[in-house]
CSV table of all heavy atoms in Angstrom, one decimal:
chain,number,residue,atom,x,y,z
P,196,TYR,N,102.9,-34.8,139.5
P,196,TYR,CA,103.7,-33.5,139.7
P,196,TYR,C,103.4,-33.0,141.2
P,196,TYR,O,102.3,-33.0,141.6
P,196,TYR,CB,103.3,-32.5,138.7
P,196,TYR,CG,103.7,-32.9,137.3
P,196,TYR,CD1,102.7,-33.6,136.5
P,196,TYR,CD2,104.9,-32.7,136.7
P,196,TYR,CE1,103.0,-34.0,135.2
P,196,TYR,CE2,105.2,-33.0,135.4
P,196,TYR,CZ,104.2,-33.8,134.7
P,196,TYR,OH,104.5,-34.2,133.5
P,197,SER,N,104.5,-32.5,141.8
P,197,SER,CA,104.3,-32.0,143.1
P,197,SER,C,104.0,-30.5,143.0
P,197,SER,O,104.1,-29.9,142.0
P,197,SER,CB,105.7,-32.2,143.9
P,197,SER,OG,106.7,-31.4,143.3
P,198,HIS,N,103.8,-29.9,144.2
P,198,HIS,CA,103.7,-28.5,144.3
P,198,HIS,C,104.9,-27.8,143.8
P,198,HIS,O,104.8,-26.7,143.1
P,198,HIS,CB,103.4,-28.1,145.8
P,198,HIS,CG,103.2,-26.6,146.0
P,198,HIS,ND1,102.1,-25.9,145.5
P,198,HIS,CD2,104.1,-25.7,146.6
P,198,HIS,CE1,102.3,-24.6,145.8
P,198,HIS,NE2,103.4,-24.6,146.5
P,199,ALA,N,106.1,-28.3,144.1
P,199,ALA,CA,107.4,-27.7,143.6
P,199,ALA,C,107.4,-27.8,142.1
P,199,ALA,O,107.9,-26.8,141.5
P,199,ALA,CB,108.5,-28.4,144.3
P,200,ASP,N,107.0,-28.8,141.5
P,200,ASP,CA,107.0,-29.0,140.0
P,200,ASP,C,106.0,-27.9,139.4
P,200,ASP,O,106.3,-27.3,138.4
P,200,ASP,CB,106.5,-30.4,139.6
P,200,ASP,CG,107.4,-31.5,140.1
P,200,ASP,OD1,108.6,-31.3,140.2
P,200,ASP,OD2,106.9,-32.6,140.3
P,201,ASN,N,104.8,-27.8,140.1
P,201,ASN,CA,103.9,-26.8,139.6
P,201,ASN,C,104.5,-25.4,139.7
P,201,ASN,O,104.4,-24.6,138.8
P,201,ASN,CB,102.7,-26.8,140.5
P,201,ASN,CG,101.5,-26.0,140.1
P,201,ASN,OD1,101.4,-25.7,138.9
P,201,ASN,ND2,100.7,-25.6,141.0
P,202,GLN,N,105.2,-25.1,140.8
P,202,GLN,CA,105.9,-23.8,141.0
P,202,GLN,C,107.0,-23.6,139.8
P,202,GLN,O,107.2,-22.5,139.3
P,202,GLN,CB,106.6,-23.5,142.3
P,202,GLN,CG,105.4,-23.4,143.4
P,202,GLN,CD,106.1,-23.1,144.7
P,202,GLN,OE1,106.9,-23.9,145.2
P,202,GLN,NE2,105.6,-22.1,145.4
P,203,ARG,N,107.7,-24.7,139.5
P,203,ARG,CA,108.8,-24.6,138.5
P,203,ARG,C,108.2,-24.3,137.2
P,203,ARG,O,108.7,-23.6,136.4
P,203,ARG,CB,109.5,-26.0,138.5
P,203,ARG,CG,110.7,-26.0,137.7
P,203,ARG,CD,111.5,-27.3,137.9
P,203,ARG,NE,112.8,-27.4,137.1
P,203,ARG,CZ,113.9,-27.0,137.6
P,203,ARG,NH1,114.0,-26.4,138.8
P,203,ARG,NH2,115.0,-27.0,136.9
P,204,LEU,N,107.0,-25.0,136.9
P,204,LEU,CA,106.4,-24.7,135.6
P,204,LEU,C,105.9,-23.2,135.5
P,204,LEU,O,106.1,-22.6,134.5
P,204,LEU,CB,105.2,-25.6,135.3
P,204,LEU,CG,104.4,-25.4,134.1
P,204,LEU,CD1,105.3,-25.5,132.8
P,204,LEU,CD2,103.2,-26.4,134.0
P,205,SER,N,105.5,-22.7,136.6
P,205,SER,CA,105.1,-21.3,136.7
P,205,SER,C,106.3,-20.4,136.4
P,205,SER,O,106.2,-19.4,135.6
P,205,SER,CB,104.5,-20.9,138.1
P,205,SER,OG,103.3,-21.6,138.3
P,206,PHE,N,107.4,-20.7,137.0
P,206,PHE,CA,108.6,-20.0,136.8
P,206,PHE,C,109.1,-20.1,135.3
P,206,PHE,O,109.3,-19.0,134.7
P,206,PHE,CB,109.8,-20.6,137.6
P,206,PHE,CG,111.1,-20.0,137.6
P,206,PHE,CD1,111.5,-19.1,138.6
P,206,PHE,CD2,112.0,-20.2,136.5
P,206,PHE,CE1,112.8,-18.4,138.5
P,206,PHE,CE2,113.2,-19.5,136.5
P,206,PHE,CZ,113.6,-18.7,137.5
P,207,ILE,N,109.0,-21.2,134.7
P,207,ILE,CA,109.4,-21.4,133.3
P,207,ILE,C,108.4,-20.5,132.4
P,207,ILE,O,108.9,-19.8,131.6
P,207,ILE,CB,109.2,-22.8,132.8
P,207,ILE,CG1,110.3,-23.7,133.5
P,207,ILE,CG2,109.3,-23.0,131.4
P,207,ILE,CD1,110.1,-25.2,133.4
P,208,LEU,N,107.1,-20.5,132.6
P,208,LEU,CA,106.2,-19.8,131.9
P,208,LEU,C,106.4,-18.3,132.0
P,208,LEU,O,106.2,-17.6,131.1
P,208,LEU,CB,104.7,-20.3,132.1
P,208,LEU,CG,104.5,-21.8,131.8
P,208,LEU,CD1,103.1,-22.1,132.3
P,208,LEU,CD2,104.5,-22.0,130.3
P,209,ARG,N,106.6,-17.9,133.3
P,209,ARG,CA,106.8,-16.4,133.5
P,209,ARG,C,108.1,-16.0,132.8
P,209,ARG,O,108.1,-14.9,132.2
P,209,ARG,CB,106.9,-16.1,135.0
P,209,ARG,CG,105.6,-16.1,135.6
P,209,ARG,CD,105.7,-15.5,137.1
P,209,ARG,NE,104.7,-16.2,137.9
P,209,ARG,CZ,104.9,-17.1,138.8
P,209,ARG,NH1,106.0,-17.4,139.1
P,209,ARG,NH2,103.8,-17.6,139.5
P,210,ALA,N,109.2,-16.8,132.9
P,210,ALA,CA,110.4,-16.4,132.2
P,210,ALA,C,110.3,-16.3,130.7
P,210,ALA,O,110.7,-15.4,130.0
P,210,ALA,CB,111.5,-17.4,132.6
P,211,LYS,N,109.4,-17.3,130.2
P,211,LYS,CA,109.2,-17.3,128.7
P,211,LYS,C,108.3,-16.1,128.4
P,211,LYS,O,108.6,-15.5,127.3
P,211,LYS,CB,108.4,-18.6,128.4
P,211,LYS,CG,108.2,-18.8,126.9
P,211,LYS,CD,107.4,-20.2,126.7
P,211,LYS,CE,107.1,-20.4,125.2
P,211,LYS,NZ,106.0,-19.5,124.8
P,212,SER,N,107.4,-15.7,129.2
P,212,SER,CA,106.5,-14.6,128.9
P,212,SER,C,107.3,-13.3,128.8
P,212,SER,O,106.7,-12.3,128.2
P,212,SER,CB,105.4,-14.5,129.9
P,212,SER,OG,105.9,-14.0,131.1
P,213,VAL,N,108.4,-13.1,129.4
P,213,VAL,CA,109.2,-11.9,129.3
P,213,VAL,C,110.3,-12.0,128.3
P,213,VAL,O,111.2,-11.1,128.2
P,213,VAL,CB,109.8,-11.4,130.7
P,213,VAL,CG1,108.6,-11.1,131.7
P,213,VAL,CG2,110.7,-12.4,131.3
Side-chain angles (χ1 to χ4, degrees):
Y196 299 90
S197 67
H198 178 71
D200 298 329
N201 188 25
Q202 288 183 310
R203 188 173 185 91
L204 179 59
S205 291
F206 183 99
I207 293 166
L208 295 172
R209 282 190 211 111
K211 184 178 177 290
S212 75
V213 296

